[in-house]
Amino acid sequence: MIEMNWIILALVVLGAAAWLANGIRQIGAVSAGEPIREQSGTALLMIDLQTVFWDADTFTQAAKAEAKTQILAEVDAARSNGIPIIAIRQEWSIPSTKAVARLLMKGQALEGTSGTELAAPFRDVADHVMIKRVQDAFETKELDALLAQLNVGKLRIVGLDTNYCIAKTALAARQRVYDVEIVEQGVLSADPETAKKTLNMLRGEQVFLR
């Protein structure tokens, strides 16, 4: 009987570990999608510029000041040229990814928690605001539909973090054959040295840096 209890406990632990591992896999996966049709427009994507991330001590004040200046310049240019501005907000809402966020990400950006709103410098500047559940903003297919509706075939990307949500969204976009430009002065990373390697990797995937 004792041996059976240990077997049951071991199975429960293994099941929980597999469930969490799947959550981690989901968080970092790059979604597949159909190649886009002929779409000639451009959109500015603002990724994860939320209070919970922007107001944290993750990035230096100097880095944030530089990024803020560049991002708002991109916003002004987009408005002047009739380019739609799309803000993407992170909200962990899948049960397994919520558990991972609680365990490994300080519980930040959980669905329904404070801080998931756009940070003050970027509030009210977007034409469209969408929610993503994982690092890849295309995962739910809602961004695909909006970009098709707006006739967008080229994306300019700003926001954070270069090594995670920026990279995964850019890769998902390239998989769908979007032209992708990352505005180097308009993206932030908690690990700038790794970000250099990430940007080099993205160059190899035909992501342009501007």
Side-chain angles (χ1 to χ4, degrees), residues 71-87:
I71 291 166
L72 294 179
E74 290 291 323
V75 167
D76 288 342
R79 284 176 173 163
S80 296
N81 290 285
I83 292 173
I85 302 166
I86 304 170

Side-chain angles (χ1 to χ4, degrees), residues 62-139:
K64 287 203 300 184
E66 181 180 33
K68 175 184 171 183
T69 297
Q70 185 62 53
I71 291 166
L72 294 179
E74 290 291 323
V75 167
D76 288 342
R79 284 176 173 163
S80 296
N81 290 285
I83 292 173
I85 302 166
I86 304 170
I88 310 290
R89 298 193 299 106
Q90 180 67 54
E91 287 193 10
W92 304 111
S93 58
I94 302 168
S96 58
T97 63
K98 287 174 73 173
V100 172
R102 287 192 179 98
L103 289 170
L104 304 178
M105 305 176 195
K106 303 177 183 178
Q108 294 179 328
L110 292 174
E111 180 184 36
T113 60
S114 62
T116 59
E117 72 282 351
L118 293 173
F122 315 109
R123 211 163 291 160
D124 303 322
V125 304
D127 302 303
H128 308 272
V129 179
M130 307 191 75
I131 295 171
K132 64 183 177 65
R133 310 187 301 173
V134 295
Q135 291 173 356
D136 168 12
F138 285 90
E139 179 260 345

Side-chain angles (χ1 to χ4, degrees), residues 28-31 47-48 132 135-138 157-175 180 182 187-188 194-195 197-202 205 207:
V30 175
S31 64
I47 297 180
D48 288 0
K132 64 183 177 65
Q135 291 173 356
D136 168 12
F138 285 90
I157 298 178
V158 297
L160 54 96
D161 184 299
T162 304
N163 293 318
Y164 303 105
C165 300
I166 299 290
K168 297 305 170 59
T169 297
L171 290 171
R174 286 299 302 139
Q175 193 276 336
V180 180
I182 292 176
V187 293
L188 288 167
T194 301
K197 298 176 184 177
T198 298
L199 292 174
N200 281 332
M201 177 274 291
L202 291 171
E205 298 296 330
V207 172

